[in-house]
Amino acid sequence: GTSHTHKDDEEEEEEEEDEPIQMPSYFESKYKSYSDKKRSKIKKTYASFHRFLCESPLPKPPAVDSSSSNGLSNVVNDASSSSTTTTSIHGHNREQKEQQHHGHPTNTNPYQPDSEGYDIDIPYGTYHQQYRINNKYLIAVGVVDILPQCLSSVYAFYNPTLSNHLNLGKYTALREIEWVKRASLKRKDLCYYYLGFYIHSCIKMKYKAEYAPSELLCPTYGTWVDFEVARKKLEKDSPIRHCCTLAYEKEDDADDDCKKKSEDDGGSAINSGNNNANDEKDMKRIEHSIKLDIGGGPYSIVTIGMLNDHGRNIVGPLVKEFVEEVGKDVSQRCIVKLC
């Protein structure tokens, strides 16, 4: 690792502060009474959210500013340089529906939503989907990436008070799923809804499992596995960290693994007691030899035996799982950093 002197830290902070941050026009007047330190912190937070929600490596859509007869509109968002789709919660246009029935083209502009607010012809890019009541009051925004094979749901933020009654988080997700269903009728390859990373032990991510049927990506082989199958494997093979191989590279591998396990169980029945005891003893020895980096200077490297009872209860299961997954030989050559 590297270390910095106090002077280095000050220089880094000064460099960060010197970076120009384009703030909205209302910033100076709204935060005029704040201290310089607090204003600087707000600017850094704003810049961080701007990078996350607005800046995108995807192609920039052309600037458009068009309105339909029913009040739904596409507006260029200057801050993000991406098109913004407005979805009206109430009201449909009868004239536009009649045009659809008579076969007249109603969506010659790819950014023009249909009567229900679905702009399925938009090109690839990053978009901010605005949800408004009566085409006026903004209550939610969904940040999405339109990609060749999927709509990737990046983020959603909304009025928390209204969401207590309207479940706006779920509503935006359902609208995005419906968008994919409609888009897939015209864009055959674009047929997936991507919810991003999933951590099984994270309460805030549990909602992602509520949309079914769904799949998880195996971190080892890069193949998609049915969520229920993956969930059972996570809880069985990695009960602490919930991170393990979810799929076999080949179906034969699974059969071979089951066959090997069966042979091991049957072939070593006579000596199973002694072998299990020796294996468990050897595992304990390795677990207690694993070097743990707890941070805090030259005496930061410890072992489980150097921790108090509370520390051993927390770290012990993690170290055991680490040894089982990495292997006895490799794990003894590693230093596990505890965060």
Side-chain angles (χ1 to χ4, degrees):
T2 59
S3 61
H4 298 284
T5 62
H6 182 65
K7 184 179 179 181
D8 291 336
D9 292 337
E10 288 180 347
E11 289 176 354
E12 284 186 352
E13 288 180 4
E14 288 177 2
E15 289 177 1
E16 287 181 2
E17 290 177 356
D18 290 338
E19 292 181 2
I21 301 174
Q22 184 178 0
M23 303 298 293
S25 57
Y26 62 79
F27 178 81
E28 294 300 331
S29 59
K30 186 172 183 179
Y31 299 106
K32 187 176 181 179
S33 61
Y34 285 49
S35 66
D36 291 341
K37 185 176 181 181
K38 195 166 186 178
R39 284 157 59 90
S40 176
K41 185 176 181 181
I42 293 173
K43 282 185 178 182
K44 289 180 180 179
T45 302
Y46 177 88
S48 177
F49 271 98
H50 188 280
R51 283 192 297 269
F52 174 51
L53 299 176
C54 301
E55 296 178 8
S56 171
L58 298 176
K60 177 182 175 182
V64 290
D65 187 1
S66 61
S67 298
S68 65
S69 57
N70 68 343
L72 298 176
S73 63
N74 281 40
V75 184
V76 170
N77 184 333
D78 293 332
S80 65
S81 297
S82 63
S83 175
T84 304
T85 301
T86 300
T87 299
S88 178
I89 305 299
H90 298 297
H92 303 301
N93 184 271
R94 181 177 299 176
E95 180 182 350
Q96 191 172 30
K97 286 186 176 182
E98 290 176 354
Q99 287 180 345
Q100 290 175 341
H101 290 315
H102 285 85
H104 297 298
T106 61
N107 199 15
T108 56
N109 179 357
Y111 292 92
Q112 181 64 59
D114 61 22
S115 61
E116 295 181 334
Y118 292 99
D119 47 2
I120 61 174
D121 295 308
I122 56 177
Y124 306 139
T126 297
Y127 297 88
H128 291 174
Q129 295 183 315
Q130 298 181 3
Y131 295 82
R132 297 178 181 271
I133 294 179
N134 292 332
N135 204 30
K136 183 178 181 181
Y137 303 104
L138 181 65
I139 61 173
V141 175
V143 183
V144 301
D145 289 337
I146 304 300
L147 303 172
Q149 295 182 324
C150 74
L151 181 153
S152 177
S153 183
V154 179
Y155 201 69
F157 50 96
Y158 40 78
N159 184 304
T161 303
L162 286 175
S163 188
N164 289 335
H165 305 282
L166 301 177
N167 288 323
L168 293 174
K170 291 184 178 180
Y171 180 77
T172 57
L174 292 173
R175 289 284 298 199
E176 290 166 4
I177 292 172
E178 180 63 22
W179 188 97
V180 175
K181 289 174 66 176
R182 297 184 183 214
S184 65
L185 298 177
K186 297 179 66 175
R187 307 161 75 166
K188 300 300 181 182
D189 291 335
L190 205 165
C191 55
Y192 295 103
Y193 179 57
Y194 181 66
L195 278 162
F197 289 107
Y198 176 78
I199 301 175
H200 193 55
S201 57
C202 179
I203 300 298
K204 291 184 177 180
M205 290 192 178
K206 287 289 187 181
Y207 76 93
K208 296 184 180 184
E210 296 176 2
Y211 302 97
S214 61
E215 298 175 322
L216 288 181
L217 187 67
C218 176
T220 305
Y221 297 119
T223 56
W224 292 95
V225 182
D226 179 80
F227 176 80
E228 287 303 319
V229 174
R231 178 184 62 79
K232 292 176 181 178
K233 202 167 193 315
L234 281 171
E235 294 175 351
K236 178 184 177 183
D237 295 351
S238 184
I240 305 297
R241 293 193 305 116
H242 293 129
C243 180
C244 64
T245 299
L246 303 178
Y248 291 95
E249 189 173 16
K250 300 177 183 177
E251 290 185 5
D252 293 342
D253 292 343
D255 296 336
D256 292 343
D257 186 65
C258 293
K259 183 178 179 181
K260 182 177 183 301
K261 186 177 185 304
S262 177
E263 290 175 352
D264 289 345
D265 290 343
S268 59
I270 297 176
N271 298 319
S272 60
N274 292 332
N275 289 340
N276 289 339
N278 291 333
D279 288 344
E280 187 174 344
K281 187 176 181 180
D282 190 42
M283 182 67 76
K284 285 288 185 184
R285 178 187 63 79
I286 293 173
E287 290 172 14
H288 280 73
S289 69
I290 298 296
K291 295 180 177 65
L292 308 173
D293 182 0
I294 60 175
Y299 304 104
S300 61
I301 304 300
V302 300
T303 60
I304 290 181
M306 299 168 67
L307 302 176
N308 58 28
D309 291 341
H310 180 66
R312 284 195 292 270
N313 290 336
I314 296 175
V315 177
L318 296 174
V319 173
K320 180 181 180 183
E321 186 172 338
F322 172 75
V323 175
E324 290 175 346
E325 292 191 13
V326 175
K328 297 178 180 179
D329 182 51
V330 176
S331 62
Q332 293 180 85
R333 290 180 283 158
C334 296
I335 296 179
V336 180
K337 183 172 179 62
L338 302 177
C339 301

